[in-house]
Amino acid sequence: MIEPVRAEAPLVTRLKRFVRRPALASLLDQAVVSGFGFVSGIATARLVGIEEFGLFVLILIVTAFAQGLHNALVTAPMMTLAARGRRAASTYDATVLAAAFLVSLVAAAGVALALVAVFALRHHAVETGVVIAGAALTVAQNMQLTVRRTLFARGRGLVAVAMDSVRAIAFPLALAAAWSSGMVLDAALVTALLAGTAFVTALPLAYGIWRAPRRGLRLNPVASRHWGIGRWMFPLVFVTFGQEQMAWIVAGIVLGDEAIGGLRAAQYLVGFVIILLTATENILPTAAAHAHETGGDRGLRDYLEKATLTLGPLVGLFLLAIAIPAGTWLNLVFGPAFEAYAASVRILAVAVACIFLRDMVTQYFRATHDTGPVFQAFVVSLVVSLVIMYPLIAHDGITGAALVITIGHAVSAAHLILTMRRRLARGA
């Protein structure tokens, strides 16, 4: 007797649809990646001490710049172009993977030279282990980013979540194994472990992308199409890097690793609020665009005012809860050596408030499809930051570095607010 096929329960069907949603995979992956960066940074600070942590931070800053350029040239354009030409998807993916590897090798050489230059400017002997580990991390991070974006572009976001989760688990295990075996934990070793775990988790998936049935590689046409999209994103990486990250490097050269370690710990504390603000990117742009579509400039302005008045007090309360007892938080989270940098936490809390205001105003320009003023605001803040950078750092030390970062964000926020007010006044 043939049993009738039972219909799947509606609840099970809904759960399956929910799990398969790209937005859910993206949210989970962002939580894993951000959480891993946050926790691994704190663990590193605790294990290697404030001075080695400062050197570790300098390595991450240089490699992050290389990853920003990689994203502008390779992965961001890929997310736009991947949906086209589905029949040639495997050929395109393999071509992007090969291009990513070549670009990563060039970036690794650039990172190595940059680290050598930092040592030379500080009149220190070059630490070969640091330079090699930084170059390896550049290749590993860029390739992992490429694999992650490829998986999301092909509707395999949960596989990307699994890859990043395995890496998040593997790194502390590798760190514990190194510590238990008696190895000296320093910036070079921690960087090498970060690179190693990224390679181990990304390479099997990269091999699968490479070995998929396909035609020959098409490097030249793919490079041309990517440059058509990425040519405007490429200079923006330099602008944003010059506004803030350059202050870290100058402070590292002038003040040394310990000061940078303290400033980074301060940034970690206020960075918790920035992570919360990043989560609003899943809601605010769409809602702002809808408000503009249905109500014009007036509707958009009303929506942004309401959103700002709703979120602003919450952001303010979080920042006050972090900034007022800043020394206590630094002691509890990072250790007694970091407590002296409480003033930097309070200054950077003001920077986060400026970032919040700038992000809210940015929604106006995104909704009206006019992002030119956003780029102009960053250019203006870059010029101001570069002018005040060395004098403030040389005169006020690490407090001066925190002030440079905060003033840069304040200038870009003020520029955008004034530009928006002028636009609204003309339209009134």
Side-chain angles (χ1 to χ4, degrees):
M1 180 177 177
I2 300 175
E3 293 186 7
V5 178
R6 280 188 252 176
E8 200 171 52
L11 179 60
V12 175
T13 304
R14 287 175 187 166
L15 284 173
K16 284 185 176 180
R17 287 176 183 169
F18 179 71
V19 168
R20 289 170 184 164
R21 284 182 179 177
L24 176 63
S26 177
L27 183 64
L28 288 173
D29 193 66
Q30 185 60 47
V32 170
V33 173
S34 297
F36 170 67
F38 193 74
V39 174
S40 64
I42 293 172
T44 300
R46 280 280 188 178
L47 289 171
V48 305
I50 189 169
E51 190 168 346
E52 282 295 315
F53 180 61
L55 180 56
F56 175 70
V57 168
L58 280 175
I59 298 170
L60 291 188
I61 288 170
V62 177
T63 56
F65 175 61
Q67 188 174 61
L69 294 177
H70 183 91
N71 181 61
L73 293 175
V74 180
T75 55
M78 180 192 72
M79 296 303 288
T80 300
L81 297 171
R84 305 174 188 174
R86 291 279 184 180
R87 292 181 181 178
S90 58
T91 300
Y92 175 73
D93 292 347
T95 302
V96 169
L97 194 67
F101 182 67
L102 294 175
V103 171
S104 297
L105 291 179
V106 175
V111 166
L113 289 174
L115 291 173
V116 169
V118 169
F119 281 117
L121 289 170
R122 294 163 66 180
H123 305 291
H124 286 181
V126 175
E127 296 184 29
T128 307
V130 168
V131 174
I132 293 174
L137 182 61
T138 301
V139 177
Q141 283 188 155
N142 288 355
M143 294 306 296
Q144 187 180 42
L145 176 65
T146 305
V147 171
R148 180 188 301 128
R149 293 286 189 261
T150 302
L151 292 171
F152 270 103
R154 299 306 172 199
R156 301 172 64 199
L158 290 177
V159 178
V161 175
M163 175 186 72
D164 290 325
S165 299
V166 170
R167 199 252 182 128
I169 295 169
F171 175 71
L173 291 177
L175 205 58
W179 177 77
S180 62
S181 65
M183 299 178 70
V184 178
L185 295 181
D186 57 13
L189 178 59
V190 173
T191 304
L193 293 177
L194 277 176
T197 51
F199 273 126
V200 168
T201 52
L203 278 179
L205 294 169
Y207 182 75
I209 294 170
W210 179 258
R211 294 296 299 168
R214 57 178 169 81
R215 297 192 295 269
L217 300 180
R218 305 184 68 230
L219 285 171
N220 286 338
V222 167
S224 177
R225 291 165 70 193
H226 275 230
W227 178 247
I229 296 174
R231 60 183 177 178
W232 298 113
M233 300 172 65
F234 191 73
L236 186 60
V237 177
F238 287 91
V239 172
T240 54
F241 177 82
Q243 177 193 313
E244 180 171 339
Q245 303 304 324
M246 185 61 71
W248 290 85
I249 294 178
V250 172
I253 293 170
V254 175
L255 306 174
D257 294 330
E258 183 175 336
I260 287 297
L263 184 60
R264 187 64 158 198
Q267 190 188 50
Y268 265 90
L269 289 184
V270 299
F272 173 74
V273 181
I274 294 178
I275 292 173
L276 295 178
L277 292 179
T278 303
T280 64
E281 276 292 303
N282 296 321
I283 302 169
L284 285 179
T286 304
H290 179 71
H292 184 255
E293 184 180 345
T294 56
D297 273 6
R298 179 62 181 268
L300 176 59
R301 183 182 65 183
D302 291 344
Y303 169 75
L304 290 177
E305 285 181 357
K306 182 180 177 181
T308 303
L309 291 174
T310 301
L311 293 173
L314 295 175
V315 172
L317 285 173
F318 274 120
L319 290 174
L320 287 173
I322 293 169
I324 293 173
T328 303
W329 284 120
L330 287 169
N331 192 352
L332 286 174
V333 177
F334 294 95
F338 292 85
E339 193 171 352
Y341 296 91
S344 295
V345 176
R346 298 183 182 110
I347 295 170
L348 292 177
V350 177
V352 175
C354 294
I355 291 171
F356 167 69
L357 292 174
R358 185 183 66 208
D359 286 352
M360 298 306 295
V361 179
T362 297
Q363 301 303 332
Y364 170 83
F365 292 102
R366 289 172 65 176
T368 56
H369 302 283
D370 181 17
T371 54
V374 179
F375 181 78
Q376 293 166 12
F378 277 103
V379 171
V380 171
S381 65
L382 168 64
V383 173
V384 172
S385 297
L386 291 177
V387 169
I388 66 174
M389 191 173 293
Y390 183 78
L392 271 179
I393 291 174
H395 185 266
D396 296 314
I398 207 63
T399 303
L403 283 170
V404 171
I405 293 169
T406 301
I407 292 170
H409 289 301
V411 168
S412 58
H415 186 279
L416 276 182
I417 291 170
L418 291 173
T419 304
M420 183 184 71
R421 286 176 66 88
R422 285 196 296 267
R423 296 280 179 89
L424 292 173
R426 285 202 300 267

